[in-house]
Coordinates of all heavy atoms in Angstrom, one line a residue:
M1 N 35.5 -56.0 -121.2 CA 34.3 -56.7 -121.4 C 33.1 -55.6 -121.4 O 32.2 -55.7 -122.2 CB 34.0 -57.7 -120.3 CG 32.9 -58.6 -120.6 SD 33.1 -59.5 -122.1 CE 33.5 -61.0 -121.5
K2 N 33.2 -54.7 -120.5 CA 32.2 -53.6 -120.4 C 32.3 -52.7 -121.7 O 31.3 -52.4 -122.2 CB 32.4 -52.8 -119.2 CG 32.0 -53.5 -117.9 CD 32.2 -52.6 -116.7 CE 31.9 -53.3 -115.5 NZ 32.0 -52.5 -114.3
R3 N 33.4 -52.6 -122.2 CA 33.7 -51.7 -123.4 C 33.0 -52.4 -124.5 O 32.3 -51.7 -125.3 CB 35.1 -51.6 -123.7 CG 35.4 -50.7 -124.9 CD 36.9 -50.5 -125.1 NE 37.1 -49.7 -126.3 CZ 38.2 -49.5 -126.9 NH1 39.3 -50.1 -126.3 NH2 38.3 -48.8 -127.9
I4 N 33.1 -53.7 -124.7 CA 32.4 -54.4 -125.8 C 30.9 -54.3 -125.7 O 30.2 -54.0 -126.6 CB 32.9 -55.9 -125.8 CG1 34.3 -56.0 -126.2 CG2 32.0 -56.7 -126.8 CD1 34.9 -57.4 -126.1
A5 N 30.4 -54.4 -124.5 CA 28.9 -54.3 -124.3 C 28.5 -52.9 -124.6 O 27.4 -52.7 -125.2 CB 28.6 -54.7 -122.8
L6 N 29.3 -51.9 -124.2 CA 28.9 -50.5 -124.5 C 28.9 -50.3 -126.0 O 28.0 -49.5 -126.5 CB 29.8 -49.5 -123.8 CG 29.7 -49.4 -122.3 CD1 30.8 -48.5 -121.7 CD2 28.3 -48.9 -122.0
V7 N 29.8 -50.8 -126.7 CA 29.9 -50.6 -128.1 C 28.7 -51.3 -128.8 O 28.1 -50.8 -129.7 CB 31.2 -51.2 -128.7 CG1 31.2 -51.2 -130.2 CG2 32.4 -50.4 -128.3
L8 N 28.3 -52.5 -128.3 CA 27.1 -53.1 -128.9 C 25.9 -52.3 -128.6 O 25.1 -52.1 -129.5 CB 26.9 -54.5 -128.2 CG 27.9 -55.6 -128.7 CD1 27.6 -56.8 -127.8 CD2 27.7 -55.9 -130.1
V9 N 25.7 -51.8 -127.5 CA 24.6 -50.9 -127.2 C 24.6 -49.6 -128.1 O 23.6 -49.3 -128.6 CB 24.5 -50.5 -125.6 CG1 23.5 -49.5 -125.4 CG2 24.2 -51.8 -124.8
G10 N 25.8 -49.0 -128.2 CA 25.9 -47.9 -129.0 C 25.5 -48.1 -130.4 O 24.8 -47.4 -131.0
A11 N 26.0 -49.3 -130.9 CA 25.7 -49.6 -132.3 C 24.2 -49.9 -132.5 O 23.6 -49.4 -133.5 CB 26.4 -50.8 -132.8
A12 N 23.6 -50.4 -131.5 CA 22.1 -50.7 -131.6 C 21.3 -49.4 -131.5 O 20.3 -49.3 -132.2 CB 21.7 -51.7 -130.5
L13 N 21.8 -48.5 -130.8 CA 21.1 -47.2 -130.7 C 21.1 -46.4 -132.0 O 20.1 -45.7 -132.3 CB 21.7 -46.3 -129.6 CG 21.4 -46.8 -128.2 CD1 22.2 -45.9 -127.2 CD2 20.0 -46.9 -127.9
V14 N 22.0 -46.6 -132.9 CA 22.1 -45.8 -134.1 C 21.4 -46.6 -135.2 O 21.3 -46.1 -136.4 CB 23.5 -45.4 -134.5 CG1 24.0 -44.3 -133.7 CG2 24.4 -46.5 -134.5
L15 N 20.9 -47.8 -135.0 CA 20.3 -48.6 -136.0 C 19.0 -47.9 -136.4 O 18.1 -47.6 -135.5 CB 20.0 -50.0 -135.5 CG 19.2 -50.9 -136.4 CD1 20.0 -51.2 -137.6 CD2 18.8 -52.2 -135.6
P16 N 18.7 -47.6 -137.7 CA 17.5 -47.1 -138.1 C 16.3 -48.1 -137.7 O 16.5 -49.2 -137.6 CB 17.6 -47.0 -139.6 CG 19.0 -47.2 -139.9 CD 19.7 -47.8 -138.8
A17 N 15.1 -47.5 -137.8 CA 13.9 -48.3 -137.4 C 13.6 -49.4 -138.4 O 12.8 -50.3 -138.1 CB 12.7 -47.4 -137.3
Q18 N 14.3 -49.4 -139.6 CA 14.0 -50.5 -140.6 C 14.5 -51.9 -140.1 O 15.4 -52.0 -139.2 CB 14.8 -50.1 -141.8 CG 14.4 -48.8 -142.4 CD 15.4 -48.4 -143.5 OE1 16.3 -49.0 -143.7 NE2 15.1 -47.2 -144.1
D19 N 13.9 -52.9 -140.6 CA 14.3 -54.3 -140.3 C 15.6 -54.6 -141.1 O 15.6 -54.6 -142.3 CB 13.2 -55.2 -140.6 CG 13.6 -56.6 -140.3 OD1 14.2 -56.9 -139.3 OD2 13.2 -57.5 -141.1
H20 N 16.6 -55.0 -140.3 CA 17.9 -55.5 -141.0 C 18.2 -56.8 -140.4 O 18.8 -57.0 -139.4 CB 19.0 -54.5 -140.7 CG 18.8 -53.1 -141.2 ND1 18.8 -52.8 -142.6 CD2 18.5 -52.0 -140.6 CE1 18.6 -51.6 -142.7 NE2 18.4 -51.0 -141.6
S21 N 17.8 -57.8 -141.1 CA 17.9 -59.2 -140.6 C 19.3 -59.6 -140.4 O 19.7 -60.3 -139.5 CB 17.2 -60.2 -141.5 OG 17.7 -60.2 -142.8
A22 N 20.3 -59.2 -141.3 CA 21.7 -59.6 -141.1 C 22.2 -58.9 -139.8 O 23.0 -59.5 -139.1 CB 22.5 -59.1 -142.3
F23 N 21.9 -57.6 -139.6 CA 22.3 -57.0 -138.4 C 21.7 -57.6 -137.2 O 22.4 -57.9 -136.2 CB 21.9 -55.5 -138.5 CG 22.4 -54.7 -137.3 CD1 23.6 -54.2 -137.2 CD2 21.5 -54.5 -136.2 CE1 24.1 -53.5 -136.0 CE2 21.9 -53.8 -135.1 CZ 23.2 -53.3 -135.0
D24 N 20.4 -58.0 -137.2 CA 19.8 -58.6 -136.1 C 20.5 -59.9 -135.8 O 20.7 -60.3 -134.6 CB 18.3 -58.9 -136.4 CG 17.5 -57.6 -136.4 OD1 18.0 -56.6 -135.9 OD2 16.4 -57.6 -137.0
A25 N 20.8 -60.7 -136.8 CA 21.5 -62.0 -136.6 C 22.8 -61.8 -136.0 O 23.2 -62.5 -135.1 CB 21.6 -62.7 -137.9
A26 N 23.6 -60.8 -136.5 CA 24.9 -60.5 -135.9 C 24.8 -60.1 -134.4 O 25.6 -60.5 -133.6 CB 25.5 -59.3 -136.7
M27 N 23.8 -59.3 -134.1 CA 23.6 -58.9 -132.7 C 23.3 -60.1 -131.8 O 23.8 -60.1 -130.7 CB 22.5 -57.8 -132.6 CG 22.9 -56.5 -133.3 SD 24.4 -55.7 -132.7 CE 23.9 -55.3 -131.0
K28 N 22.5 -61.0 -132.3 CA 22.2 -62.2 -131.5 C 23.4 -63.0 -131.4 O 23.6 -63.6 -130.3 CB 21.1 -63.0 -132.2 CG 19.7 -62.3 -132.1 CD 18.6 -63.0 -132.8 CE 17.3 -62.2 -132.7 NZ 16.2 -62.8 -133.5
S29 N 24.3 -63.2 -132.4 CA 25.5 -63.9 -132.3 C 26.4 -63.3 -131.3 O 27.1 -63.9 -130.5 CB 26.2 -64.0 -133.6 OG 25.5 -64.8 -134.5
A30 N 26.5 -61.9 -131.3 CA 27.3 -61.2 -130.4 C 26.9 -61.4 -128.9 O 27.7 -61.6 -128.0 CB 27.3 -59.7 -130.7
D31 N 25.6 -61.4 -128.8 CA 25.0 -61.7 -127.4 C 25.4 -63.1 -126.9 O 25.8 -63.3 -125.8 CB 23.5 -61.5 -127.4 CG 22.8 -61.7 -126.1 OD1 23.3 -61.0 -125.2 OD2 22.0 -62.6 -126.0
T32 N 25.3 -64.0 -127.9 CA 25.7 -65.4 -127.5 C 27.1 -65.5 -127.1 O 27.5 -66.1 -126.1 CB 25.4 -66.4 -128.7 OG1 24.0 -66.3 -129.0 CG2 25.7 -67.8 -128.4
A33 N 28.0 -64.8 -127.9 CA 29.4 -64.9 -127.6 C 29.8 -64.2 -126.3 O 30.6 -64.7 -125.5 CB 30.2 -64.2 -128.8
L34 N 29.1 -63.1 -126.0 CA 29.3 -62.4 -124.8 C 28.8 -63.2 -123.6 O 29.5 -63.3 -122.5 CB 28.6 -61.0 -124.8 CG 29.2 -59.9 -125.6 CD1 28.3 -58.7 -125.7 CD2 30.6 -59.5 -124.9
K35 N 27.7 -63.8 -123.7 CA 27.2 -64.7 -122.6 C 28.2 -65.8 -122.4 O 28.4 -66.2 -121.2 CB 25.8 -65.2 -122.9 CG 24.7 -64.2 -122.8 CD 23.4 -64.7 -123.2 CE 22.3 -63.7 -123.0 NZ 21.0 -64.1 -123.4
A36 N 28.7 -66.4 -123.4 CA 29.7 -67.5 -123.3 C 31.0 -67.0 -122.5 O 31.4 -67.7 -121.6 CB 30.1 -68.0 -124.6
L37 N 31.4 -65.8 -122.9 CA 32.5 -65.2 -122.2 C 32.2 -65.0 -120.7 O 33.0 -65.2 -119.8 CB 32.9 -63.9 -122.8 CG 33.9 -64.1 -124.0 CD1 34.0 -62.7 -124.7 CD2 35.3 -64.7 -123.6
N38 N 31.0 -64.5 -120.4 CA 30.6 -64.1 -119.1 C 30.5 -65.4 -118.2 O 30.8 -65.3 -117.0 CB 29.3 -63.4 -119.0 CG 29.5 -61.9 -119.5 OD1 30.5 -61.3 -119.3 ND2 28.4 -61.3 -120.0
K39 N 30.2 -66.5 -118.8 CA 30.0 -67.8 -118.0 C 31.4 -68.4 -117.7 O 31.5 -69.1 -116.7 CB 29.3 -68.8 -118.8 CG 27.8 -68.5 -118.9 CD 27.1 -69.6 -119.7 CE 25.6 -69.2 -119.8 NZ 24.9 -70.2 -120.6
L40 N 32.4 -68.0 -118.4 CA 33.8 -68.6 -118.1 C 34.3 -67.9 -116.8 O 34.4 -66.7 -116.7 CB 34.7 -68.3 -119.3 CG 34.4 -68.9 -120.6 CD1 35.4 -68.4 -121.7 CD2 34.4 -70.4 -120.5
E41 N 34.8 -68.8 -115.9 CA 35.4 -68.3 -114.7 C 36.7 -67.7 -115.0 O 37.0 -66.6 -114.5 CB 35.6 -69.5 -113.7 CG 36.0 -69.1 -112.3 CD 36.0 -70.2 -111.4 OE1 35.0 -71.0 -111.4 OE2 36.9 -70.3 -110.6
V42 N 37.5 -68.3 -115.9 CA 38.8 -67.8 -116.3 C 38.6 -67.4 -117.8 O 38.2 -68.2 -118.6 CB 39.9 -68.8 -116.1 CG1 41.2 -68.3 -116.6 CG2 40.0 -69.2 -114.7
K43 N 39.0 -66.2 -118.1 CA 38.8 -65.6 -119.5 C 40.0 -66.0 -120.4 O 40.4 -65.2 -121.2 CB 38.6 -64.1 -119.5 CG 37.5 -63.6 -118.6 CD 36.1 -64.2 -119.0 CE 35.0 -63.4 -118.2 NZ 34.2 -64.3 -117.4
T44 N 40.6 -67.2 -120.2 CA 41.7 -67.6 -121.1 C 41.3 -69.1 -121.6 O 40.3 -69.7 -121.1 CB 43.0 -67.7 -120.3 OG1 42.9 -68.6 -119.2 CG2 43.4 -66.4 -119.8
G45 N 42.0 -69.5 -122.5 CA 41.8 -70.8 -123.0 C 41.0 -70.8 -124.3 O 40.6 -69.8 -124.8
P46 N 40.9 -72.0 -124.9 CA 40.3 -72.1 -126.2 C 38.8 -71.5 -126.3 O 38.5 -70.9 -127.3 CB 40.2 -73.6 -126.5 CG 41.2 -74.2 -125.5 CD 41.3 -73.3 -124.4
E47 N 38.0 -71.7 -125.3 CA 36.7 -71.2 -125.4 C 36.6 -69.7 -125.4 O 35.9 -69.1 -126.1 CB 35.9 -71.7 -124.1 CG 35.5 -73.2 -124.2 CD 34.8 -73.7 -123.0 OE1 34.0 -72.9 -122.4 OE2 35.1 -74.8 -122.5
A48 N 37.5 -69.1 -124.6 CA 37.6 -67.6 -124.6 C 38.1 -67.1 -125.9 O 37.6 -66.1 -126.4 CB 38.4 -67.2 -123.4
V49 N 39.1 -67.8 -126.4 CA 39.7 -67.4 -127.7 C 38.5 -67.4 -128.8 O 38.4 -66.5 -129.6 CB 40.9 -68.2 -128.1 CG1 41.4 -68.0 -129.5 CG2 42.0 -68.0 -127.1
R50 N 37.8 -68.5 -128.8 CA 36.7 -68.7 -129.8 C 35.7 -67.6 -129.7 O 35.2 -67.1 -130.7 CB 36.1 -70.1 -129.7 CG 36.9 -71.1 -130.4 CD 36.1 -72.4 -130.6 NE 35.7 -73.0 -129.3 CZ 36.5 -73.8 -128.6 NH1 37.7 -74.2 -129.0 NH2 36.1 -74.3 -127.4
A51 N 35.3 -67.3 -128.5 CA 34.2 -66.3 -128.3 C 34.7 -64.9 -128.7 O 34.0 -64.1 -129.4 CB 33.8 -66.3 -126.8
A52 N 35.9 -64.6 -128.4 CA 36.5 -63.3 -128.7 C 36.7 -63.2 -130.2 O 36.4 -62.2 -130.9 CB 37.8 -63.1 -128.0
E53 N 37.1 -64.3 -130.8 CA 37.3 -64.4 -132.3 C 36.0 -64.1 -133.0 O 35.9 -63.4 -134.0 CB 38.0 -65.7 -132.7 CG 38.3 -65.8 -134.2 CD 39.0 -67.1 -134.5 OE1 38.7 -68.1 -133.8 OE2 39.9 -67.1 -135.4
R54 N 34.9 -64.8 -132.5 CA 33.6 -64.6 -133.0 C 33.1 -63.1 -132.9 O 32.6 -62.6 -133.9 CB 32.6 -65.5 -132.3 CG 31.2 -65.4 -132.8 CD 31.1 -65.9 -134.3 NE 29.8 -65.6 -134.8 CZ 29.5 -65.0 -136.0 NH1 30.5 -64.7 -136.7 NH2 28.3 -64.8 -136.3
L55 N 33.4 -62.5 -131.8 CA 33.0 -61.1 -131.6 C 33.8 -60.2 -132.6 O 33.2 -59.3 -133.2 CB 33.4 -60.6 -130.2 CG 32.4 -61.1 -129.2 CD1 32.9 -60.7 -127.8 CD2 31.0 -60.4 -129.4
A56 N 35.0 -60.5 -132.8 CA 35.8 -59.7 -133.8 C 35.2 -59.9 -135.2 O 35.2 -58.9 -135.9 CB 37.3 -60.1 -133.8
G57 N 34.8 -61.1 -135.6 CA 34.2 -61.3 -136.9 C 32.9 -60.6 -137.0 O 32.6 -60.0 -138.1
I58 N 32.1 -60.6 -135.9 CA 30.8 -59.9 -136.0 C 31.1 -58.4 -136.2 O 30.4 -57.7 -137.0 CB 30.1 -60.1 -134.7 CG1 29.6 -61.6 -134.6 CG2 28.9 -59.2 -134.6 CD1 29.1 -62.1 -133.3
Y59 N 32.0 -57.8 -135.4 CA 32.3 -56.4 -135.6 C 32.8 -56.1 -137.0 O 32.5 -55.1 -137.6 CB 33.4 -56.0 -134.6 CG 32.7 -55.6 -133.2 CD1 33.0 -56.4 -132.1 CD2 31.8 -54.6 -133.1 CE1 32.4 -56.1 -130.9 CE2 31.2 -54.3 -131.9 CZ 31.5 -55.1 -130.8 OH 30.9 -54.8 -129.6
E60 N 33.6 -57.0 -137.6 CA 34.0 -56.8 -139.0 C 32.8 -56.7 -139.9 O 32.7 -55.9 -140.8 CB 35.0 -58.0 -139.4 CG 35.5 -57.9 -140.8 CD 36.4 -56.6 -141.0 OE1 37.1 -56.2 -140.1 OE2 36.4 -56.1 -142.1
E61 N 31.8 -57.6 -139.7 CA 30.6 -57.5 -140.5 C 29.8 -56.2 -140.3 O 29.3 -55.6 -141.2 CB 29.7 -58.7 -140.1 CG 30.2 -60.1 -140.5 CD 29.3 -61.2 -140.0 OE1 28.2 -60.9 -139.6 OE2 29.9 -62.3 -139.9
M62 N 29.8 -55.8 -139.1 CA 29.1 -54.5 -138.7 C 29.8 -53.3 -139.4 O 29.1 -52.3 -139.8 CB 29.0 -54.4 -137.2 CG 28.1 -55.3 -136.5 SD 28.2 -55.4 -134.7 CE 27.9 -53.7 -134.3
I63 N 31.1 -53.4 -139.5 CA 31.8 -52.3 -140.2 C 31.3 -52.1 -141.6 O 30.9 -50.9 -142.0 CB 33.3 -52.5 -140.2 CG1 33.9 -52.4 -138.8 CG2 34.1 -51.5 -141.1 CD1 35.3 -52.9 -138.6
G64 N 31.2 -53.2 -142.4 CA 30.7 -53.1 -143.7 C 29.2 -52.6 -143.7 O 28.8 -51.8 -144.5
F65 N 28.5 -53.2 -142.8 CA 27.0 -52.9 -142.7 C 26.8 -51.4 -142.5 O 26.0 -50.8 -143.3 CB 26.4 -53.6 -141.5 CG 24.9 -53.3 -141.3 CD1 24.0 -54.0 -141.9 CD2 24.6 -52.3 -140.4 CE1 22.6 -53.7 -141.7 CE2 23.2 -52.0 -140.1 CZ 22.3 -52.8 -140.8
W66 N 27.5 -50.8 -141.6 CA 27.4 -49.4 -141.3 C 28.0 -48.5 -142.4 O 27.5 -47.4 -142.7 CB 28.0 -49.0 -140.0 CG 27.2 -49.6 -138.8 CD1 27.6 -50.5 -137.9 CD2 25.8 -49.4 -138.5 NE1 26.6 -50.8 -137.0 CE2 25.5 -50.2 -137.4 CE3 24.8 -48.6 -139.1 CZ2 24.2 -50.1 -136.8 CZ3 23.5 -48.6 -138.6 CH2 23.2 -49.4 -137.4
R67 N 29.1 -49.0 -143.0 CA 29.7 -48.2 -144.1 C 28.8 -48.0 -145.3 O 28.7 -47.0 -145.8 CB 31.0 -48.9 -144.5 CG 32.1 -47.9 -144.5 CD 33.4 -48.5 -144.9 NE 34.4 -48.2 -143.9 CZ 35.3 -48.9 -143.4 NH1 35.4 -50.1 -143.8 NH2 36.1 -48.5 -142.4
Q68 N 28.1 -49.1 -145.5 CA 27.1 -49.0 -146.7 C 26.0 -48.0 -146.4 O 25.4 -47.5 -147.4 CB 26.5 -50.4 -146.9 CG 27.4 -51.4 -147.5 CD 26.7 -52.8 -147.6 OE1 25.7 -53.1 -147.0 NE2 27.3 -53.6 -148.5
R69 N 25.7 -47.8 -145.2 CA 24.6 -46.9 -144.8 C 25.1 -45.5 -144.4 O 24.3 -44.6 -144.1 CB 23.9 -47.5 -143.6 CG 23.0 -48.6 -144.1 CD 22.7 -49.6 -143.0 NE 21.9 -50.7 -143.6 CZ 22.4 -51.7 -144.2 NH1 23.6 -51.8 -144.5 NH2 21.6 -52.7 -144.7
G70 N 26.4 -45.3 -144.6 CA 27.0 -44.0 -144.4 C 27.0 -43.5 -142.9 O 27.0 -42.3 -142.6
R71 N 27.0 -44.4 -142.0 CA 26.9 -44.1 -140.5 C 28.3 -44.2 -140.0 O 28.7 -45.2 -139.4 CB 26.0 -45.1 -139.8 CG 24.6 -45.1 -140.3 CD 24.0 -43.7 -139.9 NE 22.6 -43.7 -140.2 CZ 21.6 -43.8 -139.3 NH1 22.0 -44.0 -138.0 NH2 20.4 -43.8 -139.6
E72 N 29.1 -43.1 -140.1 CA 30.4 -43.1 -139.7 C 30.6 -43.3 -138.2 O 31.6 -43.9 -137.7 CB 31.1 -41.7 -140.1 CG 31.4 -41.7 -141.6 CD 32.0 -43.0 -142.2 OE1 33.1 -43.4 -141.7 OE2 31.5 -43.5 -143.2
N73 N 29.7 -42.8 -137.4 CA 29.9 -43.0 -135.9 C 29.7 -44.5 -135.6 O 30.5 -45.0 -134.7 CB 28.8 -42.2 -135.1 CG 29.1 -40.7 -135.0 OD1 30.3 -40.3 -135.3 ND2 28.1 -39.9 -134.8
A74 N 28.8 -45.1 -136.2 CA 28.6 -46.6 -136.0 C 29.8 -47.4 -136.6 O 30.2 -48.4 -136.0 CB 27.3 -47.0 -136.7
V75 N 30.4 -46.9 -137.7 CA 31.6 -47.5 -138.2 C 32.7 -47.5 -137.1 O 33.4 -48.4 -136.8 CB 32.0 -46.9 -139.5 CG1 33.4 -47.4 -139.9 CG2 31.0 -47.1 -140.6
K76 N 32.9 -46.2 -136.5 CA 33.9 -46.1 -135.5 C 33.6 -47.0 -134.3 O 34.6 -47.6 -133.8 CB 34.0 -44.6 -135.1 CG 35.1 -44.5 -134.0 CD 35.4 -43.1 -133.7 CE 36.4 -42.8 -132.7 NZ 37.0 -43.9 -131.9
F77 N 32.3 -47.1 -133.9 CA 32.0 -48.0 -132.8 C 32.4 -49.4 -133.1 O 33.0 -50.1 -132.3 CB 30.5 -48.0 -132.5 CG 30.1 -46.7 -131.7 CD1 28.9 -46.0 -132.1 CD2 30.8 -46.3 -130.6 CE1 28.5 -44.9 -131.5 CE2 30.3 -45.1 -130.0 CZ 29.2 -44.5 -130.4
S78 N 32.1 -49.8 -134.4 CA 32.4 -51.2 -134.8 C 33.9 -51.4 -134.9 O 34.4 -52.5 -134.5 CB 31.7 -51.4 -136.1 OG 30.3 -51.4 -136.0
V79 N 34.7 -50.5 -135.4 CA 36.1 -50.6 -135.5 C 36.7 -50.7 -134.1 O 37.6 -51.6 -133.8 CB 36.7 -49.4 -136.2 CG1 38.3 -49.4 -136.1 CG2 36.4 -49.4 -137.7
D80 N 36.2 -49.9 -133.2 CA 36.7 -49.9 -131.8 C 36.3 -51.3 -131.1 O 37.1 -51.9 -130.4 CB 36.1 -48.8 -130.9 CG 36.7 -47.5 -131.4 OD1 37.7 -47.4 -132.1 OD2 36.1 -46.4 -131.0
G81 N 35.1 -51.7 -131.4 CA 34.7 -53.0 -130.9 C 35.5 -54.2 -131.4 O 35.9 -55.1 -130.6
K82 N 35.9 -54.1 -132.7 CA 36.7 -55.2 -133.3 C 38.1 -55.2 -132.6 O 38.6 -56.2 -132.2 CB 36.8 -55.0 -134.7 CG 37.7 -56.1 -135.4 CD 37.9 -55.8 -136.9 CE 38.8 -56.9 -137.5 NZ 39.1 -56.6 -138.9
A83 N 38.6 -54.0 -132.4 CA 40.0 -53.8 -131.8 C 39.9 -54.4 -130.3 O 40.8 -55.1 -129.9 CB 40.4 -52.4 -131.7
A84 N 38.8 -54.1 -129.6 CA 38.7 -54.6 -128.2 C 38.6 -56.1 -128.2 O 39.2 -56.8 -127.4 CB 37.5 -54.0 -127.6
A85 N 37.8 -56.7 -129.2 CA 37.6 -58.2 -129.3 C 39.0 -58.8 -129.6 O 39.3 -59.9 -129.1 CB 36.6 -58.5 -130.3
L86 N 39.7 -58.2 -130.5 CA 41.0 -58.8 -130.9 C 42.0 -58.7 -129.7 O 42.7 -59.7 -129.5 CB 41.6 -58.0 -132.1 CG 40.9 -58.3 -133.4 CD1 41.5 -57.4 -134.5 CD2 41.0 -59.8 -133.9
S87 N 42.0 -57.7 -128.9 CA 42.8 -57.5 -127.8 C 42.4 -58.6 -126.7 O 43.3 -59.3 -126.1 CB 42.7 -56.2 -127.1 OG 43.2 -55.2 -127.9
L88 N 41.1 -58.9 -126.6 CA 40.6 -59.9 -125.7 C 41.1 -61.3 -126.2 O 41.6 -62.1 -125.4 CB 39.1 -59.9 -125.6 CG 38.5 -60.9 -124.7 CD1 38.9 -60.8 -123.3 CD2 36.9 -60.8 -124.8
M89 N 41.0 -61.5 -127.5 CA 41.4 -62.8 -128.0 C 42.9 -63.0 -127.8 O 43.3 -64.1 -127.4 CB 41.1 -62.8 -129.5 CG 41.4 -64.1 -130.2 SD 40.9 -64.1 -132.0 CE 42.2 -63.1 -132.7
E90 N 43.7 -62.0 -128.0 CA 45.2 -62.1 -127.8 C 45.5 -62.4 -126.3 O 46.4 -63.3 -126.0 CB 45.9 -60.8 -128.2 CG 45.9 -60.6 -129.7 CD 46.5 -59.3 -130.2 OE1 47.1 -58.6 -129.3 OE2 46.3 -59.0 -131.3
A91 N 44.8 -61.7 -125.5 CA 45.0 -62.0 -124.0 C 44.5 -63.3 -123.6 O 45.2 -64.0 -122.8 CB 44.2 -60.9 -123.2
A92 N 43.4 -63.8 -124.1 CA 42.9 -65.1 -123.8 C 43.9 -66.2 -124.3 O 44.2 -67.2 -123.6 CB 41.5 -65.3 -124.4
Y93 N 44.5 -66.0 -125.5 CA 45.4 -66.9 -126.1 C 46.7 -66.9 -125.2 O 47.3 -68.0 -124.9 CB 45.7 -66.6 -127.5 CG 46.6 -67.6 -128.2 CD1 46.2 -68.9 -128.5 CD2 47.9 -67.3 -128.4 CE1 47.0 -69.8 -129.1 CE2 48.8 -68.2 -128.9 CZ 48.4 -69.4 -129.3 OH 49.2 -70.3 -129.8
A94 N 47.2 -65.7 -124.9 CA 48.4 -65.6 -124.2 C 48.3 -66.3 -122.8 O 49.2 -66.9 -122.3 CB 48.9 -64.1 -124.0
G95 N 47.2 -66.1 -122.2 CA 46.9 -66.6 -120.9 C 46.8 -68.2 -120.9 O 47.0 -68.8 -119.8
H96 N 46.5 -68.7 -122.1 CA 46.4 -70.1 -122.2 C 47.7 -70.8 -122.4 O 47.7 -72.0 -122.1 CB 45.4 -70.4 -123.4 CG 45.3 -71.8 -123.7 ND1 44.6 -72.7 -122.9 CD2 45.6 -72.6 -124.8 CE1 44.6 -73.9 -123.4 NE2 45.1 -73.9 -124.6
Q97 N 48.7 -70.1 -122.8 CA 50.0 -70.8 -123.1 C 50.8 -71.1 -121.9 O 50.7 -70.5 -120.9 CB 50.8 -69.9 -124.1 CG 50.2 -69.9 -125.4 CD 51.0 -69.0 -126.3 OE1 51.8 -68.1 -125.9 NE2 50.9 -69.2 -127.6

């Protein structure tokens, strides 16, 4: 969970000063998903899977966003964030069964 938050912070730090509404919307969605995960007492079950799945989708969008801008460090942060979100999703699903 801390790794995902660090990746989000890292990606935000490399954002140019320009306004990127798609990126801003993705960051707000990521914040919402992270808050939903943090509220869960047990990080398994359908709610945890949905939140982790949403994070993975957001990171997928961020990969394309950063690739278009030639920001390879941010692309790597996003790839790592997606991998962490997918791992969380798998663990949440496995713990639910």
